[in-house]
Amino acid sequence: MNTKFRVIWMILALGILAAPVTLFAHHGSAIYDESKAVTVKGVVTDWLWANPHCLLEFDVKDEKGNSVHWTAEVSNPPDMINRGWSRKMFKPGDEVTITMIVAKNGEPIGRIARVTVSGKTFQGMGRVPGEDTKP
């Protein structure tokens, strides 16, 4: 009986230890090329202020003049409020300059590191690769 009790406790303990790993699994950044940042100018089409991530959609003209629709993420609303962001800071038609870490596969998706809208610059998530982080 004592052996069964120990086995059950070991299985429960391993399950409890494994749970936090799965809870944080979706926060990986493997999709992004963390080695470089890309800066683009575009026009806002939509701004989704929601959990678990806020999403900015915008159109950018490529080298050939074609419009490319981008989607870029930042953290959740409480995190972004602490960085000075708000629910109403972007409106369709706003011109923006966005520095972001883009997807490795070339898809037009990214994680915003910095954005300028209406003459104001706001920090996004994480640092900009290649920029000195010392004050």
Side-chain angles (χ1 to χ4, degrees), residues 15-117:
I16 290 169
L17 290 173
V21 173
T22 59
L23 291 175
F24 294 111
H26 93 277
H27 285 100
S29 59
I31 189 174
Y32 300 114
D33 182 354
E34 300 284 343
S35 68
K36 64 182 176 185
V38 172
T39 301
V40 297
K41 291 184 179 189
V43 176
V44 173
T45 60
D46 197 19
W47 171 230
L48 178 64
W49 182 258
N51 282 315
H53 298 278
C54 300
L55 298 174
L56 181 63
E57 295 186 34
F58 52 99
D59 292 332
V60 175
K61 297 283 185 193
D62 67 11
E63 305 82 34
K64 297 177 182 175
N66 299 316
S67 183
V68 178
H69 187 72
W70 283 80
T71 300
E73 69 173 344
V74 289
S75 192
N76 58 65
D79 284 349
M80 301 318 296
I81 288 169
N82 290 334
R83 292 179 171 99
W85 294 52
S86 74
R87 173 187 302 270
K88 297 181 179 185
M89 69 185 285
F90 300 107
K91 295 176 288 315
D94 284 349
E95 292 184 9
V96 291
T97 301
I98 301 171
T99 300
M100 62 187 156
I101 311 305
V102 296
K104 291 176 184 176
N105 66 3
E107 291 293 318
I109 57 175
R111 183 181 70 226
I112 300 172
R114 182 172 47 237
V115 64
T116 301
V117 60

